Amino acid sequence: MRLEIFFGYLLLIFGSLSIALGAFVGINIGTDLSNLPSPEQVVAILRSHQITHVRLFDADNHLLSALSDTEIEVMVSVTNEDVLGIGQSPAAAATWVNKNVAAFVPSTNITAIAVGSEVLSTIPNAAPVLVPAMKNLHKALVSSNLNYQVKVSTPLSMDTIPKPFPPSAATFNSSWDSIISEILGFLKTTDSFFMLNAYPYYGYIQSSGIFPIEYALFQPLAPVKQIVDPNTLFHYDSMFDAMVDAAYNSISAYNVSVIPIVVTETGWPWAGGANERDATVENAETFSNNLIKRVLNDSGPPSQPTIPMNTYIYELFNEDKRPGPLSEKSYGVYFSNGSSVYTFGLDTSSQATANASGGFCVARKGADTTSLQDGLNWACGPGQANCSAIQSGQPCYMPDTAENHASYAYNDYYQRMRSVGGTCDFGGTAITTMVDPSYGSCIFTGSTNSSLGGTVTPAFGPAGPPGNASPDQLPDMSVLLLATVVLLIM
């Protein structure tokens, strides 16, 4: 009996670990582009970039076939045009499930159905049949014995939350009360999750300067720009966190227990028209890579810190045939030939270039020179960074600027010390990037062309420049497991 209890505890522990450490970043796949690769080419691109989760905007049977035996988790979608028929006819729902789900599993790892896309915001006349469509699809899954593997939900946009800030006071548009109540009841009954489309790009644009762009791009905020919810005193380091919390608080108003949120769409355009000056490659790259880092740290927003914010980036390819402004056509992170629009760190090969987890740490553009010099002095002194390469006559001395020298020193410190709590902040003068800052014969620490030169002895002094907060530390899980084993055996 003691052995059975022991293994039961181990299963409980490992089950908890799989939940706590299960955060993922997936990607949306749209097909509204002129040079759409073949399904086989699309899958080759996904596999070459080690993408493990995708959301399809429809249920393209050719692509579903190509995804078989890849283990990639697939979310298929009911188009808005099909919602009405499925909501009115259980038979239509059964036919849809048989054709687009049952015919492909288990070879194709379909795990969710997204019913429509932002139905309440885009086709409100179909709202009355939205929940019936979800129920009909779920019943069809039950009939096929697939309801435990495949969850049903519907993506809602932030437009359903008129005033998302402060998050603690956020509520859904009252005109949708009855339908949202039905949606939440269905999700709870079927143990599904809430699908949210949340775009900090639009939140920033629509705020008309109220929020700094750093807040939308997951970049550090100066003390005078800190975003705080006046009701809860929660600090929000990113607009993304605040948007997700606004949805959690809107859900809580319906007196249901917590329903996990999955962000089914988010992204930043890399090109825009003359009036879309914030749609740039630099901003898109910063947003996407910082988003990935934020999601993969396995924590949730301030109100739900233990629930990871699993997220799908919008989108795989640039959909040049989409209507609307240039920015609408410029969300893709890859061109149709599989090359990256910008340096993108979702796949492990790109992350390896950035030394596996945290990218490179460089000086922030436009940072105060005196502050940069202070940070440089700290990094090369108490921070124990190896600053020999930025001495006169050495490979990284030129250009002889505080920004250049600080970038090298900051990064060397960060690469050596982040495993023991070192941060990339330096009084707000530093920022992380997935772009390798090496140039010419100046090779930055962490580059695939460099080496840390052997084992780095952990420093048990300060984890960052004075005044920096240390990141939250989690106990070593191997220690916890060992302690549990010892207690159970005794």
Side-chain angles (χ1 to χ4, degrees):
M1 179 64 70
R2 178 180 290 273
L3 191 61
E4 291 176 356
I5 294 174
F6 166 68
F7 282 114
Y9 272 108
L10 283 186
L11 286 173
L12 178 62
I13 291 170
F14 282 114
S16 299
L17 285 177
S18 67
I19 294 172
L21 304 179
F24 67 80
V25 177
I27 202 157
N28 288 273
I29 303 179
T31 58
D32 207 4
L33 60 154
S34 301
N35 299 310
L36 179 66
S38 69
E40 292 73 23
Q41 290 171 326
V42 171
V43 172
I45 291 170
L46 295 173
R47 299 187 78 168
S48 68
H49 294 289
Q50 301 182 33
I51 294 170
T52 59
H53 294 72
V54 298
R55 174 192 172 208
L56 311 184
F57 284 113
D58 51 22
D60 183 275
N61 283 196
H62 296 294
L63 187 51
L64 287 172
S65 293
L67 284 163
S68 65
D69 301 320
T70 63
E71 298 185 359
I72 294 173
E73 289 197 23
V74 182
M75 179 186 296
V76 295
S77 300
V78 174
T79 64
N80 283 353
E81 291 75 16
D82 289 336
V83 169
L84 190 61
I86 290 174
Q88 294 175 331
S89 169
T95 299
W96 193 94
V97 167
N98 288 334
K99 177 184 176 183
N100 301 304
V101 180
F104 295 97
V105 295
S107 296
T108 302
N109 189 17
I110 300 174
T111 57
I113 299 173
V115 184
S117 178
E118 303 182 355
V119 171
L120 300 187
S121 306
T122 58
I123 49 170
N125 60 299
V129 298
L130 177 58
V131 175
M134 296 167 68
K135 290 181 177 178
N136 288 342
L137 289 165
H138 178 71
K139 289 176 182 176
L141 291 170
V142 171
S143 298
S144 299
N145 199 30
L146 294 173
N147 54 302
Y148 292 106
Q149 175 183 338
V150 183
K151 298 301 180 182
V152 178
S153 188
T154 183
L156 299 182
S157 75
M158 287 298 298
D159 290 340
T160 59
I161 305 174
K163 296 179 180 180
F165 195 87
S168 62
T171 58
F172 289 115
N173 188 323
S174 59
S175 63
W176 299 120
D177 270 351
S178 60
I179 292 176
I180 288 178
S181 179
E182 289 183 60
I183 291 173
L184 297 178
F186 170 83
L187 298 179
K188 200 64 190 175
T189 300
T190 60
D191 194 29
S192 189
F193 50 88
F194 188 94
M195 295 180 176
L196 177 69
N197 291 352
Y199 287 86
Y201 172 73
Y202 294 120
Y204 169 68
I205 297 299
Q206 294 164 5
S207 73
S208 301
I210 294 176
F211 296 111
I213 193 168
E214 293 86 356
Y215 179 54
L217 295 175
F218 300 89
Q219 293 177 320
L221 297 171
V224 295
K225 293 183 178 180
Q226 294 293 309
I227 309 298
V228 181
D229 187 314
N231 301 315
T232 61
L233 299 184
F234 286 148
H235 284 246
Y236 286 91
D237 296 326
S238 75
M239 185 179 289
F240 183 79
D241 280 69
M243 285 179 162
V244 174
D245 247 359
Y248 271 120
N249 282 288
S250 297
I251 292 171
S252 69
Y254 290 81
N255 295 317
V256 296
S257 53
V258 176
I259 297 174
I261 291 174
V262 171
V263 178
T264 36
E265 286 181 37
T266 192
W268 196 285
W270 60 269
N275 62 337
E276 299 173 304
R277 58 187 178 85
D278 296 296
T280 66
V281 171
E282 181 181 10
N283 285 345
E285 177 182 43
T286 299
F287 176 85
S288 295
N289 288 305
N290 284 343
L291 167 75
I292 292 167
K293 288 175 59 181
R294 172 63 187 93
V295 172
L296 295 186
N297 75 8
D298 288 307
S299 66
S303 78
Q304 302 294 337
T306 62
I307 304 178
M309 296 188 292
N310 294 328
T311 298
Y312 292 82
I313 291 176
Y314 183 82
E315 61 182 325
L316 188 66
F317 302 123
N318 297 298
E319 294 187 276
D320 61 297
K321 293 167 65 176
R322 284 182 62 88
L326 178 59
S327 61
E328 286 288 330
K329 312 171 194 290
S330 307
Y331 275 88
V333 298
Y334 298 114
F335 294 109
S336 56
N337 65 1
S339 62
S340 300
V341 175
Y342 47 80
T343 304
F344 183 64
L346 182 56
D347 61 291
T348 55
S349 61
S350 292
Q351 290 173 347
T353 302
N355 203 21
S357 62
F360 299 91
C361 179
V362 296
R364 181 187 294 278
K365 294 289 185 183
D368 176 69
T369 301
T370 301
S371 298
L372 284 172
Q373 190 62 52
D374 289 342
L376 172 62
N377 293 341
W378 187 93
C380 295
Q384 303 179 35
N386 182 351
C387 296
S388 59
I390 55 176
Q391 303 307 308
S392 180
Q394 297 304 307
C396 300
Y397 178 71
M398 297 298 293
D400 181 15
T401 64
E403 181 180 314
N404 179 61
H405 291 177
S407 288
Y408 186 89
Y410 288 0
N411 181 68
D412 189 84
Y413 164 81
Y414 181 60
Q415 301 296 344
R416 293 169 180 273
M417 301 303 182
R418 70 180 178 211
S419 64
V420 291
T423 60
C424 178
D425 184 83
F426 294 92
T429 65
I431 187 172
T432 56
T433 177
M434 298 302 290
V435 179
D436 188 342
S438 302
Y439 59 94
S441 58
C442 177
I443 307 301
F444 274 54
T445 309
S447 169
T448 53
N449 296 316
S450 75
S451 169
L452 287 178
T455 304
V456 177
T457 303
F460 296 98
N468 284 1
S470 298
D472 292 336
Q473 298 294 315
L474 294 174
D476 188 324
M477 297 311 299
S478 62
V479 175
L480 291 181
L481 288 173
L482 179 60
T484 302
V485 170
V486 171
L487 287 173
L488 288 172
I489 293 177
M490 290 176 61

